[in-house]
Amino acid sequence: MSTSCLFLGPSVYFGVDRGVPVLRQGTEGVAHQLQLGEAVALAFLSATGQRDQAAIACAAEIENGARWVDRVIDRYWSYFDGRSARPLDFNWLKDVNFDAAADSKISRRDAAPKSLIWLVTLACNRRCPYCYYDVLPHSIQRGHTPRDATFSKTAVLRMLAEMRRIGASNLYLTGGEPLLRSDIIDILNEAQRNRIRTHLSTKYPVDQILACQLKEARVDSITYSLDAGHRRLADGLAGDKGFFDQAVGALKALSRVGLDPEVNAVATRVNINRFNELAQLLVDCGIRRLSVSLFIPPPTHRTATEKLTPAQDDSQMIARIRELKARWSGELEIRLGDSARNRSATFDSSQPVCEVGYSELHVLPNGQACRCRYMPNETRLLLGSLEELTIMDIWRGEPLNVLSSPSRSMYQGTACESCRSFNRCNSRGRCFASALQNTGKLAAPDSFCQMGSIQ
């Protein structure tokens, strides 16, 4: 989205409450506590409406000033819809309780989610053998919404309007195949009208017409999944003969309209040694970015899983990806996907693992909010339906509170119960999916447990 005009909206309150700088939309009741660097950056943005001018001014006053400006633009994007400047005023500093303002940094949990990740449908027109989900077969020729995508359009639009009010500026659409939902373009356009940035993950055969529709809806980022630069190998990893040609056509169509897609590839046993082919294809197609994720075995056993599981360990796989990055430096930006970063030897056990309940909320195809979209059938992780409740009802509700800060009693009989790092794991966010997959229990050590090294 354009950052040419970044004035705070007229109904946005920016000031000091109880000694702490805050930002909120009208009378919504969601007060975002600001760090002092954020507050200073907002003061300059409110006056200039320009990212570059605010960054220069802010950098002259505080350390890392430009970063603070980028931080507040990213976090509070939906609040920057004003048309007039506010006077540059720092009188609010006299009302700041600097001890209280410092304390506001202790909690990692946001007053409202920054992002919603919506699993639009579990239906898909591909049959990727590595897919984490048991997808529902769906042909694009059918021309109707998949049967599991029952989150009503009325409730979706209500959700988007609330996102704007509470400062939840990002909506990630994934699946399955999100473009199978017949009203998805209407939803993307409504998100744009509500200043919600949209991020789409897809493997759809995007033609020029659809590419133009996505451009008009101002989709902020598109991640296209393609695992190989060789036709037969790419078709096999998509489980769909003809996929490779459709994917190349889609990437070219998206690039022609200026959407600049990023390609994501899953590193498996069969393609880890052939990524140079993929890199060359992307360069030839004008694609500038590639992310590589590590293969994660799905929770349900499949014959194909054994054939795809890499012979090398994670560190060797990550080393290969870094070699690829060095080889194509200057021609293609290559980065490690989240799964690779979290499983690298340099992973910091104190860094966040899961953001659900802290800055994210996950939503299932039927509108149910949940603690983990990777376990859509796990009823113990459901938080409430957005058909009936608001985002903030769920964000402040007891089910999410319990799962975000579980008690030791939930972990009775496991190593977690008496672990001295129990609260640290609560703070970093627990991975219930890996705990269940590894131990058969939700309340158990997860894959990021560092118990052995700290006890």
Side-chain angles (χ1 to χ4, degrees):
M1 289 184 176
S2 171
T3 57
S4 59
C5 182
L6 293 168
F7 294 123
L8 286 173
S11 63
V12 175
Y13 169 80
F14 168 47
V16 178
D17 286 354
R18 299 179 183 179
V20 177
V22 298
L23 189 69
R24 65 171 179 264
Q25 177 78 279
T27 59
E28 185 63 26
V30 178
H32 300 274
Q33 291 188 339
L34 303 171
Q35 296 184 45
L36 284 175
E38 293 177 310
V40 173
L42 278 167
F44 283 116
L45 273 172
S46 299
T48 67
Q50 302 291 322
R51 184 268 169 200
D52 290 345
Q53 290 182 29
I56 293 170
C58 199
E61 299 296 331
I62 59 174
E63 185 177 0
N64 297 319
R67 291 185 182 180
W68 287 115
V69 171
D70 289 338
R71 178 187 176 103
V72 294
I73 291 173
D74 175 65
R75 178 59 185 88
Y76 303 110
W77 175 260
S78 65
Y79 288 168
F80 292 104
D81 62 346
R83 298 187 179 184
S84 59
R86 301 184 184 192
L88 184 60
D89 179 11
F90 287 99
N91 286 330
W92 51 268
L93 279 168
K94 70 180 187 300
D95 297 321
V96 173
N97 179 326
F98 289 92
D99 290 335
D103 288 343
S104 72
K105 295 187 293 186
I106 294 175
S107 175
R108 191 165 76 82
R109 192 176 192 192
D110 286 358
K114 170 186 175 181
S115 306
L116 267 66
I117 301 179
W118 179 19
L119 186 65
V120 178
T121 176
L122 279 172
C124 191
N125 53 303
R126 313 296 186 189
R127 299 291 177 273
C128 305
Y130 57 73
C131 186
Y132 195 82
Y133 296 112
D134 292 321
V135 297
L136 307 170
H138 193 94
S139 170
I140 59 173
Q141 278 74 36
R142 294 178 184 173
H144 62 79
T145 294
R147 64 178 182 274
D148 72 326
T150 58
F151 193 10
S152 69
K153 186 176 179 180
T154 298
V156 171
L157 299 188
R158 187 169 61 241
M159 176 186 77
L160 294 174
E162 185 185 2
M163 287 178 68
R164 178 175 189 164
R165 296 195 305 272
I166 65 175
S169 301
N170 296 280
L171 178 64
Y172 292 82
L173 301 100
T174 185
E177 177 48 70
L179 290 176
L180 289 174
R181 179 160 171 149
S182 61
D183 58 0
I184 200 68
I185 297 298
D186 292 341
I187 290 170
L188 290 169
N189 279 312
E190 187 64 22
Q192 173 199 335
R193 285 189 283 272
N194 279 286
R195 288 188 64 82
I196 306 302
R197 291 176 295 208
T198 50
H199 311 272
L200 176 68
S201 296
T202 184
K203 221 167 186 169
Y204 198 83
V206 179
D207 59 17
Q208 202 62 42
I209 294 174
L210 180 54
C212 289
Q213 291 176 327
L214 294 171
K215 176 69 173 180
E216 290 171 2
R218 297 186 187 178
V219 175
D220 286 84
S221 69
I222 294 180
T223 301
Y224 201 94
S225 180
L226 175 61
D227 304 304
H230 181 276
R231 178 177 283 101
R232 188 168 64 180
L233 184 54
D235 286 353
L237 287 170
D240 188 3
K241 187 176 181 180
F243 165 73
F244 177 80
D245 290 333
Q246 292 177 351
V248 171
L251 291 174
K252 290 180 177 179
L254 292 168
S255 295
R256 276 195 294 268
V257 299
L259 282 173
D260 190 25
E262 177 182 61
V263 167
N264 180 72
V266 177
T268 68
R269 181 194 293 261
V270 301
N271 66 348
I272 185 60
N273 296 319
R274 303 189 65 169
F275 276 139
N276 278 311
E277 288 177 306
L278 177 61
Q280 185 64 63
L281 171 70
L282 299 184
V283 169
D284 292 344
C285 289
I287 303 300
R288 301 184 297 170
R289 295 173 295 137
L290 169 66
S291 64
V292 183
S293 302
L294 296 186
F295 170 67
I296 301 176
T300 55
H301 180 268
R302 300 172 195 161
T303 304
T305 299
E306 298 173 1
K307 297 178 180 179
L308 296 176
T309 302
Q312 301 127 316
D313 61 25
D314 286 350
S315 61
Q316 291 173 310
M317 295 283 283
I318 291 169
R320 296 297 301 275
I321 297 168
R322 286 176 174 152
E323 290 173 6
L324 184 76
K325 180 177 180 178
R327 160 69 178 81
W328 291 92
S329 177
E331 296 183 82
L332 186 65
E333 179 187 335
I334 299 175
R335 67 179 182 88
L336 296 172
D338 291 341
S339 64
R341 289 199 302 273
N342 290 347
R343 290 157 66 182
S344 70
T346 57
F347 175 72
D348 179 0
S349 62
S350 66
Q351 73 185 61
V353 166
C354 182
E355 290 293 343
V356 183
Y358 296 91
S359 64
E360 289 179 3
L361 191 63
H362 289 184
V363 182
L364 298 179
N366 62 0
Q368 279 280 347
C370 69
R371 177 57 176 74
C372 179
R373 66 186 172 93
Y374 294 108
M375 294 190 289
N377 298 318
E378 180 50 69
T379 58
R380 290 173 291 179
L381 298 181
L382 297 181
L383 307 172
S385 174
L386 286 168
E387 293 280 359
E388 304 165 357
L389 302 172
T390 68
I391 296 170
M392 292 309 301
D393 287 338
I394 293 168
W395 192 251
R396 294 167 172 164
E398 186 65 14
L400 184 56
N401 287 333
V402 168
L403 292 169
S404 297
S405 299
S407 64
R408 290 182 183 269
S409 62
M410 284 181 60
Y411 288 79
Q412 187 173 5
T414 72
C416 298
E417 183 181 12
S418 58
C419 180
R420 64 186 181 184
S421 287
F422 185 87
N423 291 331
R424 182 190 302 175
C425 290
N426 280 356
S427 179
R428 62 149 166 89
R430 295 179 180 270
C431 180
F432 290 105
S434 66
L436 185 63
Q437 188 169 4
N438 296 340
T439 70
K441 298 178 180 179
L442 280 177
D446 61 24
S447 292
F448 303 91
C449 173
Q450 301 291 311
M451 180 182 63
S453 62
I454 58 178
Q455 284 194 324

